[in-house]
Amino acid sequence: MTAILTNITTLISTVMTTEMTSTNTLTAGDYEKIFFRIKLWKICHGYIMFILIILGVAANILAFIILSQKSVRRTTIAVYLRALSLADTFVLITAFFRYNTYKLFLTEAQDTYSVLHFSAYLDAYIKPFHWISLGVSSFVTLTLSIERFLAIRYPLTIKRSCTPFLVRVCIVGIIVIVVILTSPIFFSFRVKEFSYTNTSSVYVQVMTRLGRDTLYPCTYHIYVIPLLWYILPWILLAILNLLLYLQVRRSSRIRVGLPNIPNPNRNLSILILLIVIIYMVCNLPISIMVFYKLVNHMSENGQCIQETTSLTSTTSKEFDIINAITEILNILNSCLNIVVYCMVGTKFRRQLRDFLLCTTCKPVNKVSPQKVFTTGRESNTVVESAGSS
């Protein structure tokens, strides 16, 4: 295994050296880092990520099914939450390939073959879909928080103007904007084949002319992703969350002295608050990380050079561990919304229980309607089943 990985790393480094006209020699310390990263990625991106992806996909599918029930599917919040469930599902599915979690199920020979032939295609054409899913998830969460704040601040106006159709238009607009921002990535890289023997070849992701001339891939990963996908939504959500919390407190003080009647708007606001808090907690480390990379990149060089994490990168072991933890938390965010629904939503819990127990699938003993007859002036009654004669 060690020899195979060493040969693969050396081969790809040699190919990339030829392509980029730079030199790269590996020392004993570099090999030590390589094997440390292999072990770290196997634990974090392998076992932990696989468990999160399986549980998260199942949870989001269940949440989507329950939120599509006839009794709730036409509410604006249900439309937002269904879109969020779908976005998080795609985040988890694409993460399975982006973080190479699928390699848990490969033998050494299959792993070697995938590195030489398929990894470049995954990097070039699957990762952009992962960024699209993350962007949609972030902006849907932000829009949901804005809608809930306005619904509490201006209840009558929002009730009249905010319809499920308008919410669907907003979600479609979010998807279109995110796709437009991401689409140049699909044309900025291509997969190039390099032959290293007469019968063997390796496929490597290289920049196209569009990528080299426009520097869009570099700008996207260094500026667009950190600012629009993480930092800006986090700051706006923190402000909206504070305002929403204050509005909920004010609403609670107004209701003091009123009869003890459940307030569905308050419960709904608490649900949105918890969703946003989970998003902020899970994405705070990665927001700090991308901000650090952004500042460090801007301070160290004036050129836009795309920095990618690889086996031969120059980062320290501590940095690799912190980076792996932030990526796990980022994926964990896409798994926990159903926990909030079950904690706050009484109706959601009931419908989820009925769905899991297949209550609607069980035959129901129908009771025939009853006819009541009176005899004369007496008050005696005769109860007769409609089916009897």
Side-chain angles (χ1 to χ4, degrees):
M1 179 66 176
T2 302
I4 293 174
L5 291 171
T6 302
N7 291 335
I8 292 173
T9 304
T10 304
L11 173 62
I12 295 178
S13 298
T14 304
V15 171
M16 295 305 295
T17 296
T18 304
E19 178 69 16
M20 300 174 66
T21 64
S22 61
T23 59
N24 184 24
T25 58
L26 298 178
T27 63
D30 294 330
Y31 283 112
E32 182 184 357
K33 282 187 178 181
I34 288 173
F35 298 129
F36 168 78
R37 285 169 182 148
I38 291 172
K39 185 177 180 180
L40 177 66
W41 291 353
K42 187 174 183 179
I43 295 173
C44 295
H45 294 169
Y47 300 121
I48 297 177
M49 199 78 74
F50 176 72
I51 294 172
L52 292 179
I53 289 171
I54 293 298
L55 295 178
V57 169
N60 283 302
I61 291 175
L62 278 176
F64 181 84
I65 292 173
I66 301 303
L67 293 168
S68 300
Q69 299 293 325
K70 187 176 181 180
S71 58
V72 296
R73 65 187 177 191
R74 293 186 178 180
T75 62
T76 56
I77 297 299
V79 177
Y80 278 118
L81 296 182
R82 287 202 302 271
L84 187 59
S85 298
L86 288 178
D88 287 338
T89 300
F90 281 104
V91 168
L92 295 169
I93 292 174
T94 53
F96 184 76
F97 298 99
R98 182 201 170 191
Y99 294 109
N100 297 322
T101 307
Y102 67 94
K103 292 188 177 183
L104 281 176
F105 307 97
L106 302 181
T107 62
E108 289 187 3
Q110 292 171 339
D111 188 11
T112 303
Y113 188 83
S114 69
V115 170
L116 296 177
H117 296 84
F118 298 126
S119 294
Y121 287 99
L122 294 179
D123 289 340
Y125 305 118
I126 298 297
K127 280 186 179 180
F129 285 106
H130 182 72
W131 293 121
I132 290 174
S133 304
L134 280 174
V136 172
S137 178
S138 295
F139 289 119
V140 167
T141 304
L142 178 60
T143 309
L144 175 63
S145 182
I146 294 173
E147 193 270 347
R148 184 82 303 243
F149 169 73
L150 294 177
I152 293 181
R153 189 70 177 83
Y154 309 102
L156 297 179
T157 304
I158 294 299
K159 187 175 182 179
R160 289 194 302 266
S161 60
C162 188
T163 62
F165 175 77
L166 181 61
V167 171
R168 293 187 185 96
V169 171
C170 291
I171 293 172
V172 171
I174 289 172
I175 295 173
V176 171
I177 292 173
V178 172
V179 169
I180 290 174
L181 288 173
T182 312
S183 58
I185 287 292
F186 290 99
F187 308 100
S188 300
F189 294 95
R190 66 184 178 90
V191 178
K192 187 174 183 180
E193 180 182 1
F194 292 90
S195 299
Y196 60 92
T197 65
N198 293 331
T199 58
S200 301
S201 58
V202 59
Y203 294 83
V204 178
Q205 174 186 339
V206 297
M207 276 190 176
T208 62
R209 184 175 179 180
L210 172 67
R212 289 192 299 266
D213 292 346
T214 63
L215 292 178
Y216 181 85
C218 174
T219 305
Y220 178 77
H221 286 285
I222 294 178
Y223 300 105
V224 176
I225 288 293
L227 293 175
L228 296 184
W229 263 233
Y230 294 112
I231 298 175
L232 183 61
W234 198 94
I235 294 174
L236 293 177
L237 283 171
I239 297 172
L240 287 170
N241 218 29
L242 177 60
L243 295 175
L244 184 57
Y245 172 76
L246 294 176
Q247 289 293 330
V248 171
R249 288 287 303 274
R250 184 180 303 173
S251 175
S252 299
R253 287 196 298 268
I254 292 174
R255 291 178 63 88
V256 171
L258 295 178
N260 189 19
I261 301 174
N263 184 2
N265 290 328
R266 183 175 182 274
N267 292 338
L268 194 56
S269 299
I270 292 175
L271 184 142
I272 305 304
L273 278 170
L274 291 177
I275 291 176
V276 173
I277 288 173
I278 288 176
Y279 175 91
M280 293 175 64
V281 171
C282 291
N283 285 281
L284 177 60
I286 199 168
S287 298
I288 295 174
M289 179 67 70
V290 296
F291 182 75
Y292 167 78
K293 291 179 180 178
L294 174 64
V295 173
N296 188 62
H297 172 84
M298 293 174 62
S299 63
E300 285 187 355
N301 53 75
Q303 286 187 326
C304 188
I305 301 173
Q306 185 184 3
E307 298 176 1
T308 57
T309 302
S310 65
L311 291 175
T312 57
S313 61
T314 58
T315 56
S316 64
K317 293 181 180 180
E318 292 77 12
F319 182 88
D320 294 335
I321 294 173
I322 295 174
N323 192 57
I325 293 174
T326 60
E327 290 169 342
I328 289 174
L329 289 175
N330 188 30
I331 296 302
L332 181 64
N333 173 64
S334 299
C335 307
L336 295 180
N337 285 341
I338 193 172
V339 178
V340 178
Y341 305 157
C342 293
M343 287 174 55
V344 181
T346 305
K347 189 174 183 180
F348 183 90
R349 287 199 306 269
R350 184 172 60 250
Q351 292 184 346
L352 178 62
R353 183 189 63 236
D354 294 342
F355 177 80
L356 294 177
L357 298 177
C358 200
T359 303
T360 57
C361 304
K362 297 178 181 179
V364 180
N365 295 326
K366 295 183 179 180
V367 179
S368 301
Q370 298 175 337
K371 297 178 182 179
V372 179
F373 299 94
T374 60
T375 58
R377 289 177 294 180
E378 293 89 351
S379 298
N380 300 325
T381 59
V382 179
V383 179
E384 182 183 8
S385 297
S388 61
S389 56

